[in-house]
C-alpha cells in the first residue's frame, strides 16, 4: 500500500552556495512543507520545476512558526491563482 499524497505548491526558491537550489513546496494552509535540493545543472537539464507537486504525507514536515505558516499560505494562494499545477515556473 502506497503512502497517500498531498498536493503542495511552490512557495520558496533559494539559490545557495555550490550551485544548489532549494525548493520548498507547502500545503495550501501553510502548515506543512517539503524541501528539495537540486543542482543548478539539474534545473537546466532535468525535469522542470512545476507550480505544484504531490508529496507523500510521510515526507512532509510541520511548519512551527506562525509567521512562516501565514507566508506559505499566502504564497500558495498567489501561485494557485497564476499557474496550473503542472506549469513550469
Amino acid at each position: 500500500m502506497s503512502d497517500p499524497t498531498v498536493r503542495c505548491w511552490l512557495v520558496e526558491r533559494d539559490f545557495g552556495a555550490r550551485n544548489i537550489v532549494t525548493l520548498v513546496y507547502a500545503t495550501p494552509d501553510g502548515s506543512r512543507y517539503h524541501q528539495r535540493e537540486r543542482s543548478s545543472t539539474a534545473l537546466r537539464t532535468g525535469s522542470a520545476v512545476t507550480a505544484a507537486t504531490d508529496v507523500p504525507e510521510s515526507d512532509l514536515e510541520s511548519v512551527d512558526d506562525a509567521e512562516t505558516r501565514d507566508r506559505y499560505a499566502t504564497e500558495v494562494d498567489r501561485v494557485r491563482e497564476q499557474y496550473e499545477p503542472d506549469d513550469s515556473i
Side-chain angles (χ1 to χ4, degrees):
M1 192 160 111
S2 65
D3 196 6
T5 60
V6 177
R7 170 72 40 100
C8 294
W9 295 81
L10 185 66
V11 295
E12 194 172 284
R13 183 179 354 209
D14 182 43
F15 298 88
R18 301 177 316 205
N19 294 322
I20 299 295
V21 179
T22 302
L23 305 168
V24 178
Y25 286 87
T27 56
D29 64 0
S31 67
R32 296 183 294 166
Y33 74 99
H34 178 71
Q35 182 173 306
R36 297 177 178 172
E37 291 183 346
R38 293 177 61 185
S39 71
S40 58
T41 302
L43 289 176
R44 286 191 305 273
T45 61
S47 60
V49 174
T50 58
T53 188
D54 294 327
V55 178
E57 278 192 346
S58 61
D59 290 348
L60 292 170
E61 301 287 332
S62 292
V63 177
D64 297 326
D65 177 64
E67 186 176 316
T68 301
R69 202 170 30 250
D70 291 343
R71 182 170 54 87
Y72 283 177
T74 299
E75 186 64 9
V76 166
D77 288 342
R78 187 188 72 78
V79 172
R80 286 171 80 174
E81 288 175 7
Q82 294 182 3
Y83 300 96
E84 292 298 317
D86 292 331
D87 286 350
S88 295
I89 60 174

